[in-house]
Amino acid sequence: MSDLSLDKLLKKAENKLQNVHEIVQEKSYELIRQAYKESIFIVITEGFRSIEQQHKLYSQGRTTPGSIVTNAKGGYSYHNYGLAIDIALLDNNGEVDWTIDRRWNKAGEVGKRIGLEWGGD
């Protein structure tokens, strides 16, 4: 369980939160802390994205191979302005777990409680 210490999760978030608005950074750390208390282990998978990166993501599943992952063209995503984060949940072994279960809903509730919008709605 040492791999999933709160300090390690917070440290892991630092890199992904560069160029993210200060208030969003603070709320991201708070989300990780509050969820941790409920045994929900959150990692930030994405923060700021350049408009060029957003264009590339938008073309995925449209003009380039892969699944569609966003409906926002470059310049139309909150990520392009440092105002959004994407998260994933880790299992007890520290591996990303994409299983949609009560933990996701609880993470969303925690986020909304601290003033974030939850894209899962």
Side-chain angles (χ1 to χ4, degrees):
M1 183 81 167
S2 62
D3 277 2
L4 291 175
S5 71
L6 179 57
D7 285 343
K8 189 159 186 171
L9 291 174
L10 293 169
K11 189 81 179 146
K12 211 174 173 95
E14 275 180 33
N15 202 25
K16 296 292 184 176
L17 291 173
Q18 287 180 12
N19 300 317
V20 171
H21 190 283
E22 182 181 311
I23 293 171
V24 178
Q25 282 183 14
E26 289 169 14
K27 290 192 179 290
S28 298
Y29 290 126
E30 187 62 21
L31 173 65
I32 293 167
R33 280 190 206 93
Q34 293 297 321
Y36 191 85
K37 291 178 186 175
E38 315 237 6
S39 299
I40 299 169
F41 312 120
I42 292 179
V43 290
I44 309 296
T45 57
E46 186 108 55
F48 174 81
R49 269 197 300 265
S50 70
I51 290 176
E52 182 183 326
Q53 289 170 304
Q54 189 69 34
H55 281 317
K56 205 171 178 177
L57 261 186
Y58 181 79
S59 66
Q60 187 178 312
R62 292 179 175 88
T63 57
T64 62
S67 303
I68 291 178
V69 292
T70 184
N71 291 317
K73 293 180 180 179
Y76 291 90
S77 169
Y78 283 115
H79 286 281
N80 302 148
Y81 304 97
L83 298 174
I85 59 166
D86 292 334
I87 65 168
L89 303 185
L90 299 179
D91 64 19
N92 290 332
N93 298 318
E95 301 293 321
V96 172
D97 181 1
W98 294 109
T99 307
I100 304 300
D101 58 17
R102 67 150 203 91
R103 296 171 308 144
W104 278 99
N105 293 329
K106 191 67 184 169
E109 287 172 24
V110 170
K112 289 190 288 191
R113 188 170 67 228
I114 64 171
L116 292 169
E117 285 184 31
W118 176 244
D121 286 338

